[in-house]
Amino acid sequence: MSDFTAIIEKLEGSEAGSGWLDAHVFCELFAGDRSYVEQSPFNGVWCVYEVSRVTGRASLFEWPPRLNRHRNPTTSLDAALALVEERLPGCLWQIEGNVAEIYEPPFEYWASISEHGKIRGYSGLGAAHSPALALIIALCRALQSQEEKKDG
């Protein structure tokens, strides 16, 4: 079972999306448990590395092919939506703006994700200063909810 607590805390503690956050999201959602995020010494890009169980050597993580053009889900709404569709195909999602007076501290965007056609299916909520970041938080919470429902 994946524990999404750490990535949710990173996302909620951020004012804005970034390459560092994007790499951590992909590391949590796609790479194995022996993976980590590190900045490339060559070009400064944040990368996900996986450690081989056989050799013990780290190699660059291969992105899911359908998401190759969407590597910035915490800053791009298109990339965030592609990631949602990749991990929870057919889910219902919603984003609302101008919700600053509802949350403390105030956030500009709110997002929700839920399982289509099921009253007690998985669900997740997210609030942030950008719609992409709010949607990624909601995705991580929905995935955590899905894992809890499988185990429970």
Side-chain angles (χ1 to χ4, degrees):
M1 180 174 121
S2 295
D3 180 15
F4 295 93
T5 306
I7 190 64
I8 291 170
E9 287 175 1
K10 283 182 178 91
L11 291 162
E12 289 181 335
S14 300
E15 289 288 319
S18 66
W20 179 84
L21 263 182
D22 294 334
H24 280 279
V25 167
F26 274 95
C27 186
E28 181 63 40
L29 300 187
F30 293 102
D33 60 344
R34 295 170 51 100
S35 58
Y36 62 95
V37 173
E38 189 173 273
Q39 193 169 22
S40 169
F42 304 108
N43 60 10
V45 173
W46 289 98
C47 301
V48 178
Y49 295 93
E50 286 185 296
V51 177
S52 169
R53 293 188 189 282
V54 177
T55 65
R57 297 173 122 177
S59 62
L60 193 60
F61 172 70
E62 291 295 324
W63 300 87
R66 289 187 299 252
L67 298 176
N68 252 353
R69 293 182 23 207
H70 299 290
R71 293 190 182 193
N72 54 342
T74 63
T75 57
S76 163
L77 188 53
D78 287 340
L81 288 169
L83 187 56
V84 168
E85 283 300 315
E86 176 74 17
R87 287 306 308 264
L88 296 173
C91 71
L92 299 175
W93 58 268
Q94 177 179 352
I95 300 172
E96 291 188 29
N98 297 324
V99 295
E101 65 278 353
I102 298 173
Y103 293 97
E104 188 59 46
F107 293 106
E108 289 84 23
Y109 296 94
W110 170 88
S112 69
I113 294 176
S114 60
E115 190 169 8
H116 181 67
K118 294 194 177 177
I119 294 172
R120 295 178 192 231
Y122 62 77
S123 63
L125 298 173
H129 296 291
S130 76
L133 197 52
L135 191 60
I136 295 300
I137 293 168
L139 172 62
C140 290
R141 289 191 182 281
L143 290 168
Q144 186 171 42
S145 170
Q146 186 182 51
E147 289 285 329
E148 290 167 359
K149 293 201 181 297
K150 283 181 187 175
D151 292 342

